[in-house]
Amino acid sequence: MVMALALVGLGLATARPAHALGKGRACMFNATEGANGLGHVGWAFRVGPADDWIYGATESASWNWQRESNYATMLATFRTTNGRGYYDHFRCKDTTNSSVTAAKNKVNQVYSRPYNVVNDNCLTRSVEIFKAYDSSFNNLGNGIGNGPNWYYDNQLIGFGGRIYL
């Protein structure tokens, strides 16, 4: 019994954290007219190489949401959430790794915290989720003190151009 526990402990000590499913992709969705013209954002990340996405947003102090579906359903969801046209475009970045479990855990963590319009909001939470998903996002600023539209237009280092919904 002691030997078995020792072997289990050794296995845990030498196990590497999983960069779970290889290459990934993450997207930030923008609602330019949200928050009285300062903008509003949502987040999305791909689960492995398949057409499977986890996505969501902090819409307000009392409303966080997340879903999992294919790419087409994700786009349809963002097209219609808060009324057709509220989310109007998005930008994406391919990643070399995708730590899906870490990102899902971060979603649960940020959604469990009290909302704060200045430093714990739709933007800062989206950035935290991206950073948990892949370390290539560590060069992104945390979003504190930035309007979502300004951040979306100026701070998404390595993200592609706008894709309109």
Side-chain angles (χ1 to χ4, degrees):
M1 178 71 161
V2 172
M3 180 60 122
L5 289 174
L7 289 174
V8 169
L10 179 60
L12 291 175
T14 60
R16 283 188 245 145
H19 280 292
L21 300 170
K23 293 181 180 179
R25 185 168 176 84
C27 303
M28 184 176 280
F29 287 78
N30 189 233
T32 52
E33 297 303 316
N36 299 313
L38 292 175
H40 170 71
V41 295
W43 53 269
F45 57 85
R46 192 176 66 211
V47 179
D51 185 18
D52 184 16
W53 289 79
I54 298 174
Y55 52 96
T58 294
E59 300 292 343
S60 68
S62 60
W63 182 28
N64 296 299
W65 63 272
Q66 67 174 319
R67 308 254 189 311
E68 184 169 354
S69 68
N70 62 35
Y71 185 77
T73 301
M74 174 183 71
L75 295 182
T77 301
F78 276 106
R79 274 189 200 104
T80 58
T81 298
N82 288 325
R84 183 165 285 286
Y86 179 73
Y87 286 97
D88 46 1
H89 47 82
F90 63 102
R91 296 176 63 192
C92 298
K93 178 182 176 181
D94 291 324
T95 65
T96 55
N97 297 300
S98 60
S99 187
V100 173
T101 300
K104 287 168 68 173
N105 289 342
K106 184 57 74 174
V107 170
N108 291 333
Q109 178 189 14
V110 300
Y111 281 6
S112 70
R113 295 190 311 235
Y115 176 87
N116 180 296
V117 71
V118 174
N119 61 15
D120 197 353
N121 53 50
C122 65
L123 174 59
T124 61
R125 291 175 179 194
S126 295
V127 172
E128 283 186 60
I129 292 163
F130 290 161
K131 288 181 178 188
Y133 182 70
D134 185 72
S135 63
S136 67
F137 293 109
N138 287 344
N139 62 346
L140 294 177
N142 61 20
I144 294 173
N146 298 127
N149 284 341
W150 183 87
Y151 189 96
Y152 179 90
D153 289 339
N154 298 290
Q155 295 295 302
L156 292 180
I157 300 163
F159 281 67
R162 291 178 184 212
I163 301 171
Y164 288 87
L165 290 169

